[in-house]
Amino acid sequence: MNTTSLLKWRYATKQFDPSKIIPSDKLQIIKEAFNLTATSYGLQPIKLLIVRTKEIKEQLKVAAFNQSQLTDASDVLVFCIDTAIDASYVEDYFKLVKEKRSTPDEILKPYQEFLTNHFNTITQDEKLNWATKQAYLAMGNLLTVCAIEQIDACPMEGFSPEKTDEILELKKQNLKSVLLMPIGYRSEDDFMASLQKVRKPLEEMVITK
Ligand SMILES: Cc1cc2nc3c(=O)[nH]c(=O)nc-3n(C[C@H](O)[C@H](O)[C@H](O)COP(=O)(O)O)c2cc1C
């Protein structure tokens, strides 16, 4: 399949086949793709939690208004944001840049000062909002990667982040959940798989000048 047919093959899967499990090499591709997602300033204020355990998936299902994808899918991806973005968070990033690229301090210093000042100036809500945008970007990236790998997925906002944070004990790890994405393989019974895509005409969506 070419890129467009793979993207048409993808759909928000409502019914997964619970007997089909994603092999570890495919899961590895998903992990790498998450880490390779572009983020604002390169700061990666996001984490991916992968839930495979049946008991935890059952608890997550309750927090997601009993949507069956949570328990039928092979794995549930939980996109989280970091909640402690401060001077030391920025410092850790620059240590990593130095380690990876041996960039001299005099080049890094002004940029580090700019970012430290920026994150000292904005409010906690603004930081969380900024980090949340990065989580959406990561989910978009993984939706496409899953399509390329012919792994089915359902992007989800329909869940209680507060309950999810409690179940996964995210607060003590300075994390908050923002998105869920069950992944696995579609059930043969999912009638949604064969439905026409509902999309506006391309000419309406893309403006070329
Ligand atoms: C951010 C986001 C949140 C979504 N939340 C849910 C959800 O909670 N439950 C669900 O069944 N589908 C959810 N969807 C799936 C959308 O309804 C679906 O992607 C859209 O109708 C387009 O259909 P398609 O993805 O099958 O092409 C969500 C999609 C996105 C992008």
Side-chain angles (χ1 to χ4, degrees), residues 37-53:
T37 299
T39 57
S40 170
Y41 309 119
L43 281 175
Q44 297 185 283
I46 49 175
K47 295 272 182 304
L48 182 67
L49 254 86
I50 302 179
V51 180
R52 307 208 101 177
T53 315

Side-chain angles (χ1 to χ4, degrees), residues 3-194:
T3 305
T4 310
S5 20
L6 282 166
L7 292 174
K8 286 181 179 166
W9 173 87
R10 184 209 66 75
Y11 75 111
T13 306
K14 305 292 175 200
Q15 258 185 286
F16 286 87
D17 181 341
S19 68
K20 292 187 181 158
I21 303 301
I22 298 176
S24 56
D25 58 327
K26 293 276 184 193
L27 214 49
Q28 188 59 26
I29 293 171
I30 288 169
K31 292 178 192 175
E32 300 262 12
F34 176 79
N35 198 29
L36 287 168
T37 299
T39 57
S40 170
Y41 309 119
L43 281 175
Q44 297 185 283
I46 49 175
K47 295 272 182 304
L48 182 67
L49 254 86
I50 302 179
V51 180
R52 307 208 101 177
T53 315
K54 190 171 172 275
E55 292 71 28
I56 307 177
K57 288 198 282 184
E58 269 159 14
Q59 292 178 51
L60 290 180
K61 182 182 176 180
V62 177
F65 313 108
N66 287 316
Q67 296 185 77
S68 63
Q69 297 98 314
L70 272 296
T71 41
D72 290 343
S74 164
D75 296 82
V76 177
L77 306 184
V78 184
F79 293 84
C80 303
I81 53 169
D82 289 320
T83 57
I85 299 163
D86 52 15
S88 97
Y89 190 96
V90 172
E91 193 185 340
D92 286 346
Y93 168 72
F94 281 94
K95 278 185 189 155
L96 191 60
V97 176
K98 211 175 158 185
E99 182 193 313
K100 296 285 176 191
R101 295 183 170 167
S102 310
T103 314
D105 284 337
E106 57 271 27
I107 291 178
L108 293 180
K109 209 170 160 242
Y111 189 31
Q112 181 169 349
E113 276 171 5
F114 161 76
L115 281 184
T116 304
N117 183 45
H118 173 67
F119 285 105
N120 277 340
T121 314
I122 64 173
T123 64
Q124 176 67 358
D125 275 353
E126 284 170 330
K127 289 181 199 176
L128 299 184
N129 186 28
W130 166 78
T132 301
K133 290 177 189 168
Q134 317 311 314
Y136 275 79
L137 197 55
M139 188 176 80
N141 186 26
L142 291 204
L143 267 179
T144 304
V145 169
C146 282
I148 294 167
E149 295 299 326
Q150 303 211 355
I151 292 168
D152 286 300
C154 187
M156 279 190 177
E157 276 174 330
F159 70 104
S160 158
E162 293 77 20
K163 284 186 188 149
T164 301
D165 294 0
E166 256 176 60
I167 294 163
L168 300 170
E169 301 181 333
L170 296 181
K171 199 174 175 183
K172 63 181 180 196
Q173 300 170 70
N174 292 328
L175 294 175
K176 264 182 190 289
S177 60
V178 290
L179 286 162
L180 299 180
M181 192 162 101
I183 55 172
Y185 298 95
R186 63 189 69 177
S187 157
E188 281 175 15
D189 303 331
D190 193 353
F191 76 97
M192 297 288 288
S194 58

